[in-house]
Amino acid sequence: MAEPIYKALHAGRFYSRGKGRHITRCNPEWELIFVASGSLDMFAGNQKFHLAAGDRLLLEAGVEHGGLSDYPVGLSFFWLHFQPQNRSAVKFIKSLPQQAAVSDRLRLTEYLQFYLSIQSSSPGDQTAKDIVWQLILHELTKQSQPDAELSDHPDMLPPARLVREARRIIQLKYYTRISTSTIAAELYCNADYLGRLYRTTFNTTITDDIHTMRMRLTVKLLQNSQLSIKEIANRAGFEDLAHFRKIFFRTYAMTPKQYRNINASGYANSE
């Protein structure tokens, strides 16, 4: 029998803000979905699936699929389309369970992020994408571990990987409702442990890094938009306007309105 051959196609990562649901559609290619955090309810053909964090789902080409409920806040999942190139590849992918828990979630996340990086920087490099897909496929075939092994023994996870992933999550999701606890939950480790490790590595706290990223967005919007102070606070991830003003004053020693008066590019002030 010939060696299974696959062609990796487009991929992405979705972050939910608690609105909408997965559209109903029928793709001409296969699709992998991997839930990094939260939960996702879907159907494919006549089957229904509830995916928790760490679960993956394989959607067969030509089979209608879609969401069964609205996206919850905190949901994040990767998706990757691929196409088997021979009968052996089709037979092998069909032999895998359609839904399963992933053994090494951090490693699979790294592979998927690496794939997205290649897709962004070298979209025409099909060879690189196919190689990373083989690594991803290898992870899908491993036997899963109980959740307790991942959550109850955080010191077993490589510290360098934890802090790198924590900083990457902050850079991608700083404007959403995140904290040390939600990041630790996404990385399957203890929040206190992650906080200490992050502070030791970067000489700052996770909360302070989140605030730094939010302040960078805030000043850009103050300088270059006509949004109100409240709208800017919301876009930067602050739900409490008073807390936003406190963090802003602590950072810049002035109020957001005072900063806009000094630095705005000709826009009118608004609260």
Side-chain angles (χ1 to χ4, degrees):
M1 183 176 294
E3 180 183 354
I5 300 175
Y6 300 88
K7 182 178 182 181
L9 304 172
H10 42 289
R13 185 169 187 178
F14 173 81
Y15 291 103
S16 168
R17 293 193 175 185
K19 298 179 181 179
R21 68 173 61 186
H22 195 292
I23 64 173
T24 297
R25 61 188 175 189
C26 184
N27 289 328
E29 62 270 348
W30 284 70
E31 181 178 1
L32 163 69
I33 290 179
F34 170 62
V35 178
S37 63
S39 62
L40 177 65
D41 294 313
M42 293 191 66
F43 75 89
N46 296 323
Q47 293 183 279
K48 297 179 180 180
F49 302 93
H50 175 75
L51 305 173
D55 287 347
R56 58 88 176 150
L57 180 67
L58 292 170
L59 298 171
E60 186 175 351
V63 176
E64 186 177 66
H65 63 270
L68 289 173
S69 60
D70 291 344
Y71 293 131
V73 175
L75 166 68
S76 175
F77 65 86
F78 290 92
W79 54 269
L80 191 156
H81 290 197
F82 64 96
Q83 193 69 277
Q85 298 296 291
N86 57 22
R87 292 182 180 179
S88 297
V90 174
K91 182 176 180 180
F92 178 78
I93 204 70
K94 285 187 174 182
S95 72
L96 299 178
Q98 189 167 4
Q99 177 183 354
V102 172
S103 174
D104 192 334
R105 305 172 190 179
L106 267 178
R107 178 168 294 179
L108 181 59
T109 298
E110 287 181 342
Y111 287 161
L112 286 164
Q113 283 294 153
F114 186 35
Y115 188 96
L116 294 180
S117 176
I118 294 173
Q119 179 178 264
S120 175
S121 61
S122 305
D125 193 345
Q126 189 62 46
T127 299
K129 290 190 286 187
D130 289 344
I131 290 173
V132 178
W133 162 251
Q134 289 297 327
L135 293 172
I136 292 170
L137 185 59
H138 177 68
E139 290 301 316
L140 302 185
T141 62
K142 289 184 179 179
Q143 185 176 3
S144 65
Q145 303 172 4
D147 285 348
E149 291 185 31
L150 293 169
S151 59
D152 293 345
H153 303 285
D155 289 23
M156 296 176 62
L157 295 174
R161 287 176 61 189
L162 275 179
V163 293
R164 285 200 313 269
E165 186 69 7
R167 175 155 279 188
R168 187 190 63 78
I169 291 172
I170 291 171
Q171 292 170 345
L172 289 173
K173 301 172 65 175
Y174 65 89
Y175 55 86
T176 67
R177 189 184 300 175
I178 64 169
S179 64
T180 302
S181 296
T182 63
I183 294 172
E186 186 167 339
L187 296 177
Y188 314 103
C189 68
N190 179 273
D192 290 338
Y193 169 76
L194 179 62
R196 292 195 303 272
L197 188 63
Y198 197 94
R199 186 166 55 251
T200 300
T201 304
F202 297 120
N203 197 31
T204 188
T205 67
I206 289 176
T207 299
D208 283 345
D209 258 3
I210 293 172
H211 287 159
T212 297
M213 294 296 296
R214 289 176 173 177
M215 288 297 102
R216 289 177 184 173
L217 175 60
T218 295
V219 296
K220 287 181 180 179
L221 293 175
L222 286 171
Q223 293 172 8
N224 302 301
S225 81
Q226 299 185 64
L227 295 172
S228 69
I229 303 300
K230 182 177 181 180
E231 288 173 326
I232 290 174
N234 288 336
R235 289 201 180 188
F238 290 96
E239 297 181 353
D240 186 325
L241 187 58
H243 180 59
F244 164 74
R245 294 179 185 278
K246 179 180 179 181
I247 297 300
F248 192 94
F249 191 86
R250 189 177 70 187
T251 305
Y252 298 103
M254 65 181 73
T255 68
K257 185 176 181 180
Q258 289 170 333
Y259 185 95
R260 172 172 267 174
N261 286 339
I262 296 172
N263 297 283
S265 302
Y267 293 110
N269 300 321
S270 61
E271 290 287 339

